[in-house]
Amino acid sequence: AQTVTQSQPEMSVQEAETVTLSCTYDTSESNYYLFWYKQPPSRQMILVIRQEAYKQQNATENRFSVNFQKAAKSFSLKISDSQLGDTAMYFCAFRTQGGSEKLVFGKGTKLTVNP
Amino acid sequence: EADIYQTPRYLVIGTGKKITLECSQTMGHDKMYWYQQDPGMELHLIHYSYGVNSTEKGDLSSESTVSRIRTEHFPLTLESARPSHTSQYLCASSASGTAALPLHFGNGTRLTVT
């Protein structure tokens, strides 16, 4: 069974600063995908960034980047130049190819960006 | 923005009532999912579907049932609501072909059973 662990239930950061959210996962699969999703208060869950496990290069989307360490099964999210709109729950998620292709989620990290 | 819609957004209902949570998507996605999420907590998969007439139970045991008669529609039904069913229910869909494709989520239905 796959598991995803987010060890930081809550974090806060000052506007314009950089913050890193941690995520580790456990799997015996070799072909899988990792995602970070953002869930703003009372709003829709949206994709932030994704990483294919077979790619060594870390994914980047504007101010969001990941540090993917496959051997360590670690997938952290770095948010640069934090903005007030980044305040949200952030979920790390794991998905394997084939079968249900369900997303397995971590418990989430509540990020607050302070002005 | 993803074209996946859930209704109602909020529902307060008494114990014993039958309810149906609606989920529709206009993207032609084959795969659809129902997740249950308690406030501030992780999401647990309760049902999924690969396509029309295909439904499977997820990881979290649920007394709810689902149907998939049309590609775009994946309703969830509770025959007799109980306070333990109070939660947020999120519907999601994705295209087939590769697990690299992300899930698109609806806004969710927040259910309260009194």
Side-chain angles (χ1 to χ4, degrees):
Chain A
Q2 291 89 18
T3 60
V4 178
T5 302
Q6 294 179 249
S7 58
Q8 305 150 314
E10 292 191 41
M11 294 191 72
S12 62
V13 63
Q14 292 299 120
E15 198 173 6
E17 301 274 308
T18 295
V19 64
T20 298
L21 309 183
S22 301
C23 173
T24 58
Y25 60 94
D26 189 22
T27 184
S28 57
E29 300 285 338
S30 58
N31 187 18
Y32 55 88
Y33 304 86
L34 295 160
F35 304 82
W36 278 97
Y37 277 84
K38 170 184 177 181
Q39 188 179 38
S42 300
R43 291 180 63 187
Q44 199 171 24
M45 180 95 74
I46 57 173
L47 177 70
V48 175
I49 196 166
R50 69 179 163 198
Q51 173 82 40
E52 289 90 341
Y54 61 86
K55 287 187 177 179
Q56 292 187 337
Q57 186 173 5
N58 289 323
T60 299
E61 288 286 343
N62 300 313
R63 298 183 293 108
F64 299 88
S65 61
V66 299
N67 183 5
F68 174 48
Q69 303 289 329
K70 190 172 184 178
K73 296 181 180 176
S74 170
F75 182 60
S76 60
L77 174 70
K78 185 172 84 170
I79 305 174
S80 304
D81 186 25
S82 297
Q83 300 175 0
L84 297 178
D86 295 334
T87 293
M89 283 289 289
Y90 286 82
F91 291 95
C92 179
F94 174 100
R95 195 181 192 198
T96 54
Q97 186 73 39
S100 69
E101 295 184 351
K102 63 187 178 184
L103 270 181
V104 177
F105 287 89
K107 290 184 183 293
T109 296
K110 183 179 180 181
L111 176 68
T112 302
V113 180
N114 298 308
Chain B
E1 294 290 326
D3 296 321
I4 179 164
Y5 308 99
Q6 290 186 245
T7 57
R9 185 74 188 273
Y10 301 93
L11 179 61
V12 180
I13 201 161
T15 297
K17 299 293 186 183
K18 178 180 178 179
I19 59 171
T20 297
L21 309 185
E22 300 289 349
C23 175
S24 295
Q25 49 96 5
T26 59
M27 297 171 283
H29 287 169
D30 288 327
K31 297 183 178 176
M32 296 190 74
Y33 307 82
W34 276 103
Y35 283 86
Q36 185 174 342
Q37 182 187 28
D38 290 329
M41 300 293 285
E42 67 206 281
L43 285 75
H44 293 285
L45 182 70
I46 52 175
H47 298 284
Y48 61 95
S49 168
Y50 290 135
V52 171
N53 294 325
S54 154
T55 61
E56 301 284 346
K57 289 191 177 294
D59 301 323
L60 181 68
S61 175
S62 174
E63 293 167 345
S64 59
T65 58
V66 292
S67 63
R68 190 88 183 276
I69 298 172
R70 304 198 312 269
T71 297
E72 63 271 21
H73 195 213
F74 191 42
L76 181 146
T77 298
L78 277 167
E79 291 293 332
S80 179
R82 295 209 298 265
S84 61
H85 296 139
T86 294
S87 190
Q88 174 161 252
Y89 294 84
L90 291 172
C91 181
S93 72
S94 77
S96 295
T98 168
L101 296 171
L103 266 60
H104 297 273
F105 285 85
N107 281 315
T109 293
R110 192 172 294 279
L111 174 65
T112 302
V113 184
T114 60

